[in-house]
């Protein structure tokens, strides 16, 4: 077998430590072809927790498709009709899309609901693209193969936590590394971010799998900088005397667990987290002092605040000595088993306002071409209705936004808004036609990764032919 | 063995209750832990609904539009804190809290349940009253609870309609299997995952979900109207079991997990058969055993430990060290199960403290309650203490009782923390999902507010009497830092604080002057005590219970 670079590197991890001693110099030879890390670039993953209904986000617009959709979704659409202000899903109120690749879809036409008017404007301006029917796959899968279970398919389909994990890492719950973290690792290995993994991956929520690599670890940001330790600050005023400084340092050592040792792994993890918290928070806050407020007004919604925290962090990138970053923001509420007509439109309004403000903020600081935002979710939902909502699905439609995006197009496939077609896994749960890894690939290439780095981050990509190239 | 020394008593109480107190350590050392458990089983439950109903009936509980005030909507949280801190039925309250992290509902602000405090309190009381009952009965009460019906959206779930393609809502069918009974993959009785060609065997697919979804149709609130009008509901409908409405129940055949409920079976009987099938499934015993061990003792239990607890669950019986048998012999007995969790050699054997993968991170919520109990925190009036209304927000504890962001709780039982040493070793470590640079700093600050009794500084305000610690024992030791730290080490950390951590804290405390002639308001003894408490409670030694 031909020894490609990828198999060489994969094989290296199985070698003994002794063999590895000489590896440093061999790896140095690869630096020339490692990830491209000049300038600044950031990826922002906007995750819809619970499973966004793609069928109720990118809607059919040509009369025949819309009529069929309206028949299948009649119970839901009648609830939309009852909403105050009337139904935003009525065909004459939809915002029809005019993609530059409309001819790919024949007579079929598509539309966004008016709650997404800002994203629609970005699409029209060529700064946003739609990628249809994206979801986890191991290899291309037909309906027959799915029904007969005769080809490999993702584990634990339709389960929230496992499909969130699979979207982020290509594996169900228990996975250790996400592709955002792997992308960051590749950039770090190529010398990005002044050779420090701190602040390379950033979350506005918690300990995100998506952002974890072997080097990169997510750092959590809020709107107002990082928390300081109040008790330590009580002693800050005493530091002008040697005694006061000594007392301060003792307390500081405590909070950094400087004297703590243990062989217990849980002890060690907790102690390590405490040890790094104080200094990373201080470093962040020092950089945060240089923040210039944005003229762009962010919405006060939870998502708006998260995206503002991301924008702030990007704005202080030079003070943090950072030039490659991956961000993660998320909002919940998309598990619309019930009350979809009431709940989904307001969520879409929140998304639209947040995303548009974020795009404008990036324009304001001249980074709209250097920051690319994409959406993700556990899964799409059934086309069939369960009364007043929808159930767990699989493939769904997603957005990619930024000036680097070749926008104004619909990439991939939008399966028929119907039941029992070739991509129907049952009740209109879509068997994806673009795998998550195909969706991730162009993002990784844009971020600067080379072939082998892409292959390491996206283990199943080789099972697919070339995917959409939207950025 | 538990209760043989003050330290072993303190460890046991930290595992089994909301935290050791000096009174309990002194009273129980030298007595029998079996007797303690038996006494706990017989204690009267401290309930939530009576408190919540009284609170929301008070004058001024509602605004001019009839809406409950924001404060009154928080009353289930208040009653939780009150019972957890002051309730005499500590094991029961702790078990109910553990169950609330498996059978999750949430009244976090924004959920409709936030508007229905009595519905939430009714649910809390189902967990409290069934804490030592049978899991099958508990699961039935949960299934009929309006809280779960609303949270997992099967309240008013209707049978499918083949003509339009409308299907029953699958939400509860999926989660009652995945989260509340059997999980996703086939398990051995010791919790090991069964594999085929190296791949875990999944125990159901979506056809089982759609089959089971038909069972949970035709349930709505008490009162005789499936499509009820809130204004004409019976006054207790929102805190009573839901009722069945056969005309809205699927009369098709219902097949799942190899069980077939014949066509034409009514709602109550269908639910009975379905819950029997779930609780009787071989997975249920190890699935729940593992999670209960995680809530009380250790995050990555050994297979043998899981198996011993699973056997107690399956047999419905467990023999305590004093020879008394607990449990009624019916599968699912929770008194036998919790006794097996707490009395197991793995939980009790001091040698396990030296095992590098044994132990658990104390949940932030448990750490706060432990402080309130250990220092007899004055009037427990959470309604006056805004930081306790939702401790998962902002600078809080990153966690709040009954306020999970989703049915998946604040952390997952299967969470293996990426990029950590426990993760590299493949250890499940649920609570580590909450540990990061943000949360460790916020926790320290949250505790600082309470430990230093900052609420008391607002003299004249009603909250100035709320959660004010009684440090009498500790102040008596303020002039002897070594003795003070030893005392706190026993009370809070059952004597496990390392020599190094003790030395760090002691030498720091020694440097805090006991008096300051130039400042009449200076209170050196209080400063020493408060800083010592804070430092112990922010040490890794305290944070990890093992």
């Amino acid at each position: 077998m031909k020894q490609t670079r990828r198999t060489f590197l994969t094989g290296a991890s199985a070698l003994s430590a002794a063999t590895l001693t000489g590896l440093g110099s061999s790896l140095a030879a690869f630096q020339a072809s490692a990830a491209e890390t000049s300038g600044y670039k950031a990826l922002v993953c906007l995750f819809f927790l619970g499973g966004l209904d793609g069928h109720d986000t990118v809607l059919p617009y040509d009369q025949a498709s819309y009529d069929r959709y309206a028949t299948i979704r009649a119970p839901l659409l009648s609830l939309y009709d009852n909403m105050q202000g009337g139904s935003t899903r009525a065909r004459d109120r939809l915002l029809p899309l005019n993609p530059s690749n409309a001819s790919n879809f024949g007579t079929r036409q598509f539309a966004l609901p008016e709650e997404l008017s800002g994203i629609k404007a970005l699409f029209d301006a060529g700064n946003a693209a739609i990628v249809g029917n994206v979801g986890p796959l191991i290899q291309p899968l037909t309906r027959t193969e799915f029904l007969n279970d005769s080809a490999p398919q993702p584990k634990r389909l339709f389960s929230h936590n496992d499909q969130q994990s699979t979207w982020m890492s290509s594996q169900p719950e228990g996975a250790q590394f996400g592709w955002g973290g792997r992308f960051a690792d590749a950039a770090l290995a190529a010398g990005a971010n002044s050779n420090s993994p701190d602040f390379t991956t950033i979350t506005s929520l918690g300990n995100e799998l998506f952002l974890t690599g072997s080097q990169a670890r997510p750092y959590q940001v809020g709107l107002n900088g990082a928390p300081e330790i109040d008790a330590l600050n009580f002693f800050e005023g005493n530091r002008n005397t040697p005694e006061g400084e000594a007392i301060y340092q003792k307390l500081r050592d405590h909070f950094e667990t400087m004297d703590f040792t243990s062989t217990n792994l849980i002890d060690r993890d907790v102690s390590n987290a405490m040890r790094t918290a104080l200094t990373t928070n201080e470093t962040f806050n020092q950089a945060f002092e240089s923040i210039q407020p944005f003229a762009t007004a962010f919405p006060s919604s939870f998502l708006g605040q998260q995206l503002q925290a991301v924008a702030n962090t990007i704005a202080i990138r030079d003070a943090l000595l950072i030039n490659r970053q991956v961000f993660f923001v998320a909002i919940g509420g998309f598990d619309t088993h019930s009350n979809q007509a009431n709940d989904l439109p307001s969520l879409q309004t929140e998304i639209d306002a947040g995303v548009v403000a974020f795009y404008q903020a990036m324009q304001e600081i001249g980074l709209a071409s250097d920051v690319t935002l994409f959406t993700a979710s556990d899964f799409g939902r059934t086309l069939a209705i369960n009364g007043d909502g929808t159930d767990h699905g699989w493939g769904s439609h997603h957005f990619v936004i930024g000036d680097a995006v070749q926008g104004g197009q619909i990439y991939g496939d939008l399966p028929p808004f119907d039941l029992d077609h070739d991509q129907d896994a049952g009740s209109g749960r879509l068997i994806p036609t673009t795998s998550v890894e195909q969706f991730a690939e162009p993002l990784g290439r844009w971020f600067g990764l080379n072939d082998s780095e892409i292959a390491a981050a996206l283990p199943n990509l080789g099972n697919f032919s070339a995917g959409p190239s939207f950025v | 063995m538990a209760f043989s020394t003050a330290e072993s008593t303190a460890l046991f109480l930290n595992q089994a209750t909301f935290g050791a107190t000096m009174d309990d350590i002194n009273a129980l050392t030298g007595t029998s832990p079996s007797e303690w458990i038996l006494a706990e089983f017989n204690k009267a439950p401290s309930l939530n609904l009576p408190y919540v109903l009284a609170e929301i009936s008070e004058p001024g509980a509602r605004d001019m539009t009839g809406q409950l005030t924001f404060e009154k909507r928080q009353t289930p949280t208040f009653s939780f804190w009150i019972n957890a801190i002051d309730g005499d039925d500590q094991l029961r309250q702790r078990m109910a809290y553990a169950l609330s992290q498996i059978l999750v509902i949430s009244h976090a602000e924004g959920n409709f349940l936030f508007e229905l405090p009595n519905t939430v309190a009714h649910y809390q009381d189902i967990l409290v009253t069934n804490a030592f009952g049978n899991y099958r009965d508990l699961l039935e009460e949960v299934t009929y609870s309006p809280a779960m019906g609303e949270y997992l959206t099967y309240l008013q779930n209707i049978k499918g309609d083949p003509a339009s393609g409308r299907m029953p809502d699958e939400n509860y069918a999926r989660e009652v299997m995945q989260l509340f009974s059997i999980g996703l993959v086939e398990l051995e009785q010791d919790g090991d995952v069964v594999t085929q060609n190296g791949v875990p065997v999944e125990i159901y697919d979506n056809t089982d979900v759609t089959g089971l979804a038909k069972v949970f149709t035709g349930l709505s609130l008490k009162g005789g109207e499936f499509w009820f009008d809130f204004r004409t509901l019976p006054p207790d409908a929102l805190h009573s079991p839901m009722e069945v409405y056969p005309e809205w129940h699927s009369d098709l055949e219902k097949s799942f997990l190899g069980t077939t409920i014949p066509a034409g079976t009514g709602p109550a009987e269908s639910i009975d058969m379905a819950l029997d099938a779930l609780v009787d499934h071989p997975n249920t015993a190890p699935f729940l055993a593992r999670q209960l061990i995680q809530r009380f003792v250790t995050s990555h239990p050994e297979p043998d430990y899981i198996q011993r607890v699973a056997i107690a669950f399956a047999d419905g019986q467990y023999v305590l060290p004093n020879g008394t048998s607990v449990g009624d012999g019916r599968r699912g007995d929770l008194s036998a199960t919790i006794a097996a969790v707490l009395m197991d050699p793995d939980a009790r054997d001091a040698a396990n403290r030296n095992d590098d993968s044994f132990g658990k991170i104390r949940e932030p919520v448990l750490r706060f309650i432990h402080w309130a109990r250990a220092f007899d925190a004055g009037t427990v009036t959470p309604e006056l203490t805004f930081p306790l209304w939702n401790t998962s927000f902002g600078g809080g504890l990153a966690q709040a009782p009954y306020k999970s962001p989703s049915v998946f709780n604040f952390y997952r039982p299967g969470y293996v923390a990426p990029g950590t040493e426990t993760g590299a070793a493949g250890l499940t470590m649920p609570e580590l999902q909450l540990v990061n640079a943000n949360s460790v700093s916020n926790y320290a600050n949250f505790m600082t507010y309470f430990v230093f009794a900052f609420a008391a500084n607002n003299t004249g305000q009603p909250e100035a009497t709320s959660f004010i610690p009684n440090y009498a024992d500790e102040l008596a030791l303020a002039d002897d830092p070594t003795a003070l730290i030893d005392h706190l080490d026993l009370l809070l950390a059952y004597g496990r604080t390392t020599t190094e951590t003790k030395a760090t804290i002691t030498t720091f405390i020694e440097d805090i002057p006991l008096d300051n002639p130039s400042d009449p308001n200076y209170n050196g003894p209080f400063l020493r005590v408060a800083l010592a408490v804070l430092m112990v409670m922010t040490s890794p030694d305290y944070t990890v219970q093992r």
Side-chain angles (χ1 to χ4, degrees):
Chain A
M1 191 176 74
K2 192 180 160 200
Q3 178 90 332
T4 64
R5 183 179 161 212
R6 182 180 169 213
T7 52
F8 169 69
L9 284 175
T10 317
S13 65
L15 299 178
S16 70
T19 331
L20 282 172
T21 9
L23 194 62
S25 53
S26 333
L27 283 177
F30 286 122
Q31 288 284 338
S33 62
E36 206 281 310
T37 58
S38 60
Y40 178 82
K41 277 183 182 173
L43 286 168
V44 181
C45 174
L46 166 52
F47 207 100
F48 305 128
L49 298 164
L52 168 72
D53 186 6
H55 302 303
D56 206 356
T57 300
V58 181
L59 288 91
Y61 189 72
D62 63 281
Q63 193 71 50
S65 299
Y66 183 85
D67 289 347
R68 181 64 190 136
Y69 176 83
T71 305
I72 294 169
R73 291 214 145 181
L76 181 60
L77 291 184
S78 73
L79 293 167
Y80 270 111
D81 290 338
N82 295 337
M83 298 304 293
Q84 199 173 14
S87 175
T88 58
R89 269 53 175 176
R91 183 172 177 273
D92 58 2
R93 277 179 70 172
L94 295 175
L95 310 177
L97 292 163
N98 185 20
S100 58
N101 62 340
S103 59
N104 289 5
F105 298 95
T107 58
R108 299 176 66 214
Q109 295 173 297
F110 310 98
L112 298 179
E114 65 188 38
E115 289 85 358
L116 296 175
S117 60
I119 291 176
K120 164 73 163 56
L122 290 175
F123 183 94
D124 290 345
N127 303 320
I130 292 169
V131 188
N133 196 21
V134 187
L137 285 175
I138 292 170
Q139 61 183 52
L141 189 71
T142 67
R143 186 181 195 218
T144 310
E145 288 167 337
F146 169 74
L147 293 175
N148 297 340
D149 202 7
S150 59
Q153 38 189 284
K155 302 300 170 209
R156 303 171 209 177
L157 285 169
F158 315 117
S159 149
H160 284 293
N161 55 320
D162 292 297
Q163 293 312 301
Q164 287 173 2
S165 175
T166 306
W167 248 94
M168 296 180 193
S169 72
S170 307
Q171 286 176 51
E173 184 173 276
Q176 291 288 283
F177 302 110
W179 50 268
R182 294 288 198 199
F183 285 6
D185 278 352
L188 286 167
N193 299 352
S194 318
N195 293 312
S196 165
D198 291 349
F199 313 114
T200 302
T201 61
I202 305 269
T203 172
S204 53
L205 291 168
N207 302 353
E208 302 303 337
L209 170 65
F210 177 71
L211 297 177
T212 306
S214 51
Q215 294 300 308
R217 303 287 152 77
Y219 178 76
Q220 187 177 343
V221 293
L223 255 194
N224 303 309
E228 298 181 352
I229 294 190
D230 296 342
L232 198 52
N233 286 348
F234 299 161
F235 289 83
E236 187 74 42
N238 301 346
R239 295 182 68 186
N240 48 8
T241 67
E243 298 78 16
E245 175 65 15
I247 282 200
Y248 172 88
Q249 284 301 337
K250 278 186 192 173
L251 190 58
R252 194 181 165 92
D253 285 353
H254 163 75
F255 282 111
E256 292 190 87
T257 69
M258 295 309 274
D259 301 323
F260 181 80
T261 55
S262 172
T263 56
N264 181 283
L265 299 177
I266 313 167
D267 278 354
R268 292 171 68 84
D269 281 347
V270 166
S271 164
N272 285 338
M274 292 177 179
R275 191 160 298 163
T276 53
L278 196 56
T279 43
T280 47
N281 287 343
E282 282 173 351
T283 306
F284 187 85
N285 281 344
Q286 276 162 17
F288 198 72
E289 283 171 10
S290 68
I291 187 89
Q292 299 293 318
F294 282 94
T296 304
F298 280 85
S300 61
S301 67
F302 183 40
L303 178 60
Q305 303 291 289
Q306 291 182 69
L307 286 168
Q308 184 169 6
V310 170
N312 285 343
T313 309
I314 292 173
I316 59 171
R317 65 197 177 283
D318 290 341
L320 288 172
L321 308 172
I322 289 290
N323 64 336
R324 280 292 180 281
Q325 281 180 305
V326 186
F327 293 87
F328 184 92
V329 297
I331 51 171
F334 292 91
D335 195 19
T336 50
H337 290 278
S338 185
N339 255 333
Q340 181 162 322
N342 192 58
D343 295 346
L344 186 59
S346 56
L347 287 168
Q348 289 169 331
T349 301
E350 182 176 345
I351 295 166
D352 196 66
V355 164
V356 168
F358 180 74
Y359 174 80
Q360 286 168 352
M362 291 304 101
Q363 279 201 316
E364 185 185 327
I365 56 173
L367 289 182
S369 299
D370 302 311
V371 178
T372 299
L373 179 146
F374 63 95
T375 65
S377 190
D378 319 12
F379 34 61
R381 306 193 72 83
T382 56
L383 184 64
I385 298 301
N386 66 23
D388 61 347
T390 53
D391 285 294
H392 301 186
W394 190 352
S396 193
H397 317 314
H398 286 287
F399 298 98
V400 191
I401 293 165
D403 283 356
V405 176
Q406 288 152 42
Q409 294 188 55
I410 298 174
Y411 293 86
D413 191 17
L414 285 168
F417 291 82
D418 206 342
L419 302 171
D420 300 324
H421 53 74
D422 283 350
Q423 284 83 42
D424 186 9
S427 303
R429 301 171 219 267
L430 297 178
I431 299 169
T433 38
T434 295
S435 77
V436 170
E437 295 185 21
Q438 286 177 297
F439 178 67
E441 181 192 5
L443 297 169
R445 292 201 185 277
W446 173 79
F447 198 62
L449 274 66
N450 64 26
D451 286 349
S452 62
E453 290 160 342
I454 287 279
L458 307 169
N460 301 308
L461 188 65
N463 299 338
F464 298 89
S465 53
S469 183
F470 46 77
V471 63
Chain B
M1 196 55 217
F3 296 1
S4 59
T5 61
E7 287 78 10
S8 66
T9 307
L11 171 60
F12 183 91
L13 290 172
N14 284 336
Q15 289 172 335
T17 74
F18 278 105
T21 67
M22 220 53 232
D23 285 352
D24 284 347
I25 294 171
N26 290 333
L28 293 171
T29 300
T31 69
S32 150
S34 300
E35 294 297 333
W36 182 84
I37 283 200
L38 292 167
E40 289 294 306
F41 287 163
N42 288 321
K43 282 179 177 169
S46 307
L47 298 176
N48 298 275
L49 187 60
Y51 170 91
V52 167
L53 287 177
E55 285 288 314
I56 65 176
S57 315
E58 279 191 348
R62 292 174 190 277
D63 64 18
M64 277 155 52
T65 66
Q67 278 268 47
L68 285 169
T69 63
F70 187 76
E71 179 187 333
K72 294 301 180 191
R73 284 182 276 168
Q74 299 284 8
T75 48
T77 303
F78 303 157
S79 64
F80 171 85
W81 293 122
I82 292 167
N83 291 342
I85 294 166
D86 274 349
D88 186 43
D89 52 338
Q90 278 289 304
L91 180 58
R92 182 185 290 280
Q93 292 296 326
R94 183 68 196 279
M95 181 69 167
Y97 180 53
L99 291 166
S100 82
Q101 298 190 56
I102 299 171
L103 301 155
V104 175
I105 63 151
S106 175
H107 70 128
E109 297 79 347
N111 286 285
F112 187 56
L113 284 178
F114 184 57
E115 316 298 322
L116 307 174
N118 48 328
T119 306
V120 173
H122 170 253
Y123 188 82
Q124 290 173 311
D125 286 351
I126 289 173
L127 303 186
V128 168
T129 53
N130 288 284
F132 306 136
N134 189 284
Y135 196 74
R136 169 66 180 78
D137 302 337
L138 170 60
L139 197 57
E140 181 165 328
E141 286 197 41
V142 164
T143 300
Y144 281 96
S145 71
M148 190 59 82
E150 160 59 28
Y151 192 55
L152 290 187
T153 64
Y154 60 98
L155 195 167
Q156 292 179 331
N157 185 20
I158 54 176
K159 60 186 171 185
D161 173 27
S164 70
R166 189 189 67 219
M167 312 279 286
D169 187 322
E170 296 167 6
N171 202 7
Y172 189 61
R174 183 181 304 281
E175 308 309 359
V176 76
M177 288 197 287
Q178 180 178 341
L179 301 176
F180 302 167
S181 59
I182 60 177
L184 288 161
V185 293
E186 194 175 327
L187 301 175
E188 305 282 6
Q189 288 308 293
D190 66 3
D192 267 5
V193 174
V194 177
T195 58
Q196 218 163 41
N197 305 323
V199 180
V201 177
E202 297 184 15
I203 42 185
Y204 54 88
D205 65 20
N206 215 55
T207 60
D208 297 288
V209 175
T210 53
L212 186 57
K214 294 176 204 160
V215 170
F216 303 109
T217 51
L219 285 164
S220 186
L221 292 181
K222 161 184 176 175
E225 297 284 342
F226 186 79
W227 303 110
F228 55 82
D229 180 334
F230 267 107
R231 291 163 300 186
T232 57
L233 278 174
D236 62 347
L238 284 162
H239 52 266
S240 298
M242 294 191 289
E243 288 179 351
V244 295
Y245 294 83
E247 64 273 34
W248 297 101
H249 181 77
S250 174
D251 48 16
L252 300 175
E253 182 180 278
K254 304 156 181 123
S255 289
F256 52 92
L257 300 171
T259 294
T260 297
I261 298 175
T265 309
E269 199 183 336
S270 293
I271 290 172
D272 269 341
M273 292 173 73
L275 298 184
D276 282 346
L278 293 177
V279 176
D280 288 344
H281 192 285
N283 262 34
T284 306
F287 183 77
L288 292 171
R290 185 170 201 283
Q291 291 191 65
L292 286 171
I293 295 169
Q294 287 184 316
R295 293 295 102 243
F296 290 89
V297 177
T298 185
S299 290
H300 192 86
E302 293 292 326
D304 288 356
Y305 186 8
I306 296 172
Q307 178 145 4
R308 290 189 291 269
V309 175
I311 287 171
F313 180 94
D315 291 351
Q317 207 157 39
Y318 183 79
V319 179
L320 293 170
N322 73 353
T324 310
S325 177
V326 294
D328 64 3
R330 186 175 152 222
R331 181 181 174 83
D333 191 285
L334 292 173
S335 63
T337 309
I338 186 60
V341 169
L342 293 172
M343 303 310 288
D344 191 88
D346 273 21
R348 300 274 54 87
D349 189 348
N352 264 327
R353 291 199 214 169
N354 301 325
D355 185 317
D356 286 345
S357 56
F358 181 82
K360 72 185 282 271
I361 297 168
R362 298 191 209 218
E363 299 162 40
V365 160
L366 296 183
R367 287 179 241 159
F368 166 72
I369 301 175
H370 189 195
W371 170 82
R373 286 174 54 75
F375 304 107
D376 193 16
T379 2
V380 176
T381 40
E383 67 275 20
L384 302 177
T385 309
F386 189 70
L388 292 177
W389 290 19
N390 185 339
T391 49
S392 70
F393 277 168
L397 297 170
Q399 183 193 25
Y402 293 91
K403 291 203 184 221
S404 166
S406 81
V407 72
F408 289 84
N409 195 22
F410 285 94
Y411 35 69
R412 298 278 306 123
Y415 181 73
V416 180
T420 61
E421 295 197 35
T422 56
L427 305 179
T428 53
M429 207 53 54
E431 287 85 350
L432 208 49
Q433 206 169 337
L434 298 183
V435 177
N436 55 53
N438 212 284
S439 68
V440 300
S441 306
N442 285 334
Y443 163 73
N445 294 339
F446 184 91
M447 291 310 299
T448 299
Y449 177 85
F450 286 97
V451 167
F452 283 79
F454 283 158
N457 296 341
N458 306 323
T459 316
Q461 300 298 317
E463 60 266 32
T465 62
S466 191
F467 288 97
I468 303 307
N470 175 358
Y471 289 140
D473 292 352
E474 292 73 26
L475 288 168
L477 301 172
D479 59 354
D480 184 352
T482 305
L484 174 64
I485 306 309
D486 282 345
H487 161 75
L488 292 176
D489 174 34
L490 170 64
L491 173 60
L492 297 169
Y494 52 90
R496 77 145 289 203
T497 313
T498 58
T499 316
E500 292 78 11
T501 301
K502 277 189 183 178
T504 305
I505 301 175
T506 308
T507 57
F508 176 78
I509 296 299
E510 281 167 352
D511 285 350
I512 306 293
L514 280 168
D515 48 43
N516 179 353
S518 65
D519 181 357
N521 293 321
Y522 181 81
N523 186 343
F526 178 84
L527 258 186
R528 282 189 169 191
V529 167
L531 282 162
V533 170
L534 179 70
M535 290 171 83
V536 171
M537 293 194 77
T538 53
S539 68
D541 317 57
Y542 174 77
T543 307
V544 178
Q545 173 186 291
R546 65 180 175 91

